[in-house]
Amino acid sequence: MKIDPYFKPILISTALVVLLNTVFSLPINGAPIFTYFLGGLVAVILFKRELGEDFTEIKTSDAAILSLGTGVVVGAILTLIISINLQDADTQKFFVDAINESMKMHSTAEFQVIESLGPGFLIVTGIFMLVICSVVSLFGGLVTLPFINRAKK
């Protein structure tokens, strides 16, 4: 029984991105965005290896399916992790402090607002996470195409 050629690359690149974002929190600004990009890139490269030399050209639609699939799965897993972690009041306070610091604000009113939002805050966070992961992964997958597809002579 042969496994779907899309499944393994999406699974491996998703595991890589989630591992980099949760276990190895990279101390670089923009590291999560870079890992989403890397996820799309790795998915397309692994797909090319999965097919072997039988197919010489990876289509744009294949790269889009692979990278969007990776972005959606990564976004869903990271949203689940964030949702579980945001149930703790200390984590919520840390999250609000991080937003205040990045926006150069010193307000404490947002903490009560987040508590009163309830699940709406988690839903908006999840949608935002899915969109960002998918778009950046898509970009990473499409950028890979010119380097993977060899020019015909």
Side-chain angles (χ1 to χ4, degrees), residues 121-136:
F121 176 71
L122 297 176
I123 291 170
V124 170
T125 302
I127 291 170
F128 182 74
M129 180 68 77
L130 283 171
V131 168
I132 292 296
C133 289
S134 298
V135 168
V136 175

Side-chain angles (χ1 to χ4, degrees), residues 107-152:
S107 175
T108 58
E110 293 88 5
F111 186 65
Q112 289 82 19
V113 172
I114 287 178
E115 285 183 343
S116 68
L117 286 177
F121 176 71
L122 297 176
I123 291 170
V124 170
T125 302
I127 291 170
F128 182 74
M129 180 68 77
L130 283 171
V131 168
I132 292 296
C133 289
S134 298
V135 168
V136 175
S137 290
L138 177 65
F139 183 67
L142 294 178
V143 164
T144 310
L145 284 179
F147 300 106
I148 293 232
N149 291 331
R150 304 263 187 238
K152 294 182 180 180

